[in-house]
Amino acid sequence: MLNEAKTRKEIIDHRLKEAGWNVADRTQVIEEFFISVENKVVNEPKTTYNSEFSDYILLGRDGNPLAVVEAKKSTVDARVGEEQAKQYSYNIQKQYSCDLPFCMYTNGNDIFLWDLENYAPRKVFAFPTRSDLERMVFIRKNKKPLADELINTSIAGRPYQIQAIRAVFEALEERKRKFLLIMATGTGKTRTCIAMVDGLMRAGWISRVLFLVDRIALRDQAAEAFKENAPQYSIWPQSGETKLATDRRIYVSTYPTMLNIIENETEGLSPHFFDLIVIDESHRSIYNVYQNVLNYFNTIILGLTATPTDAVDHNTFQLFECEDGLPTFAYTFEEAVNNKPPYLSNFEVMKLTTKFQQEGIHLNTINDENAFNLRTG
């Protein structure tokens, strides 16, 4: 059984090192960070001060606090430290007039990340790197209101496509992190997604996107669609690339490829590397081993599917935190067909029969060899 000191030394220090933090380097990590807390007593002119000590403070390259880490011993629920870490974050912001640090608490086994005033606490796979936290701070400070962001209608300009994008934008403004779009085949799911990504990039909400598909042919098709409609964003992989590059904006990958990357220790891909993951045909491949990809990454998730709403199973709605039958946005085949003018053509079932079905087989209509075979079995 490990006490708090041993948990820190034997587990937490190691996990911070895995994320690139050098605990011995005080320009990166400060242990037992002193926090002076101001206490003003009502009707008393005198102000007193209490002292607090945060277990770890993670520093940016500019020396400012990026995150607070509150440690608990391994046998205690990490969430016991939630309120304590929260108060440390607010007190540090007040004392140093800096950006509000991210709030983290851990027992060595479980790590929770809390982006105070933005999202609820969530369990994460590993500590963020310094680059992760600096990017997250930059996004938090510089993102623009999505209601003011124009949609590039040359990419996706149909009314229902714009409605789909606005529905996701509104949900993002409400601090939701998971979304599901159900759009009939042929109505432009990929183009809608590209226009949405473009809007989020320009508004400063995201800087890296992972587009996940279940087949190589779909990967190539999606990559070409991004190149054609949003050529200003660098894409991985380029032709012939096999090794992961970390300087791109758009990543298009199959599930097996991305699973191999996150399971390969030499790749060292942080769970906080992406700001958005798009799952194409999200009802198909996310309930088996590839669920591990979503479990690994701490990010906003958008699911796309052409499966009709009433055919999408309960698990899909649950995964994207939607009520059953109520996706973030839906545009059906019937709506596309009945639009004036129609966006899709309806189909008719034609019953056709062949001459063989109509007339059957007669010995006098086949050659002698086949007739002999029929007679002899």
Side-chain angles (χ1 to χ4, degrees):
M1 183 182 298
L2 299 179
N3 60 24
E4 184 180 315
K6 285 189 174 181
T7 299
R8 287 173 56 180
K9 194 57 64 180
E10 296 182 19
I11 304 178
I12 299 174
D13 285 8
H14 177 69
R15 297 198 70 178
L16 284 167
K17 183 179 178 181
E18 287 180 332
W21 296 97
N22 182 355
V23 177
D25 183 351
R26 287 182 63 83
T27 67
Q28 295 186 34
V29 182
I30 300 179
E31 296 184 84
E32 300 297 337
F33 184 82
F34 174 79
I35 308 168
S36 178
V37 184
E38 184 179 284
N39 293 297
K40 291 186 177 179
V41 182
V42 178
N43 297 326
E44 289 286 341
K46 186 176 180 181
T47 298
T48 61
Y49 293 88
N50 289 338
S51 297
E52 298 175 334
F53 291 89
S54 173
D55 291 321
Y56 302 87
I57 295 295
L58 307 183
L59 302 176
R61 290 174 179 83
D62 60 3
N64 286 324
L66 290 173
V68 167
V69 181
E70 175 61 20
K72 296 299 175 186
K73 62 183 179 181
S74 60
T75 54
V76 170
D77 190 325
R79 288 169 289 191
V80 170
E82 178 180 298
E83 185 61 28
Q84 199 173 354
K86 172 187 172 182
Q87 292 305 319
Y88 289 167
S89 293
Y90 279 114
N91 289 337
I92 287 172
Q93 180 192 35
K94 186 176 181 179
Q95 181 175 339
Y96 292 91
S97 300
C98 61
D99 295 315
L100 180 63
F102 287 92
C103 174
M104 289 190 280
Y105 39 97
T106 180
N107 59 7
N109 301 309
D110 298 329
I111 301 171
F112 289 85
L113 172 64
W114 192 358
D115 184 357
L116 292 162
E117 302 181 359
N118 284 289
Y119 299 106
R122 55 193 181 276
K123 188 176 177 181
V124 295
F125 195 87
F127 285 110
T129 67
R130 178 184 264 183
S131 295
D132 290 332
L133 288 173
E134 288 177 335
R135 189 186 79 254
M136 290 156 65
V137 168
F138 182 85
I139 288 173
R140 188 172 66 183
K141 287 175 62 177
N142 293 281
K143 63 186 180 182
K144 296 180 290 187
L146 290 173
D148 300 334
E149 193 60 41
L150 298 177
I151 295 168
N152 187 339
T153 55
S154 66
I155 302 175
R158 294 177 176 178
Y160 65 86
Q161 294 171 333
I162 295 171
Q163 290 169 22
I165 295 169
R166 289 295 177 201
V168 174
F169 283 4
E170 288 172 13
L172 277 166
E173 292 276 20
E174 294 169 359
R175 301 300 186 259
K176 294 181 181 177
R177 294 177 58 83
K178 294 184 179 180
F179 319 95
L180 178 62
L181 300 185
I182 298 178
M183 298 173 66
T185 299
T187 56
K189 293 192 308 298
T190 303
R191 291 178 72 100
T192 300
C193 174
I194 294 171
M196 184 184 305
V197 167
D198 174 60
L200 292 172
M201 290 274 194
R202 286 185 285 107
W205 280 66
I206 60 174
S207 62
R208 296 194 196 104
V209 175
L210 171 62
F211 194 94
L212 275 176
V213 297
D214 56 10
R215 297 196 301 276
I216 291 176
L218 294 177
R219 180 201 66 186
D220 295 343
Q221 181 179 320
E224 286 303 313
F226 272 100
K227 290 175 185 176
E228 178 183 348
N229 294 286
Q232 67 272 35
Y233 303 118
S234 54
I235 297 177
W236 181 88
Q238 299 291 339
S239 178
E241 279 189 315
T242 55
K243 185 176 177 58
L244 181 72
T246 57
D247 59 349
R248 310 296 167 78
R249 305 292 298 279
I250 310 293
Y251 292 74
V252 187
S253 173
T254 62
Y255 289 96
T257 296
M258 190 51 57
L259 188 62
N260 288 336
I261 287 172
I262 65 177
E263 291 180 345
N264 184 351
E265 292 183 3
T266 61
E267 295 282 1
L269 188 63
S270 166
H272 311 272
F273 184 77
F274 297 109
D275 304 307
L276 169 67
I277 293 180
V278 180
I279 307 169
D280 193 29
E281 296 303 338
S282 54
H283 63 287
R284 282 205 300 240
S285 302
I286 51 177
Y287 303 115
N288 47 34
V289 66
Y290 300 130
Q291 177 74 44
N292 292 338
V293 176
L294 297 188
N295 292 340
Y296 180 79
F297 288 111
N298 164 47
T299 184
I300 296 166
I301 299 175
L302 170 67
L304 306 176
T305 182
T307 301
T309 305
D310 56 3
V312 174
D313 60 29
H314 169 76
N315 288 336
T316 301
F317 287 108
Q318 187 178 53
L319 175 67
F320 294 100
E321 298 176 358
C322 298
E323 293 183 39
D324 279 355
L326 294 174
T328 308
F329 179 82
Y331 191 71
T332 66
F333 175 79
E334 290 74 20
E335 287 176 295
V337 168
N338 294 327
N339 190 77
K340 303 297 182 184
Y343 291 117
L344 295 177
S345 297
N346 207 346
F347 60 88
E348 294 181 9
V349 177
M350 297 182 65
K351 292 185 178 180
L352 300 175
T353 58
T354 63
K355 185 177 179 181
F356 166 78
Q357 290 173 307
Q358 294 171 345
E359 299 180 1
I361 298 177
H362 300 282
L363 291 177
N364 61 354
T365 63
I366 58 178
N367 60 38
D368 292 341
E369 182 180 352
N370 287 332
F372 175 79
N373 291 335
L374 285 173
R375 291 192 188 97
T376 58

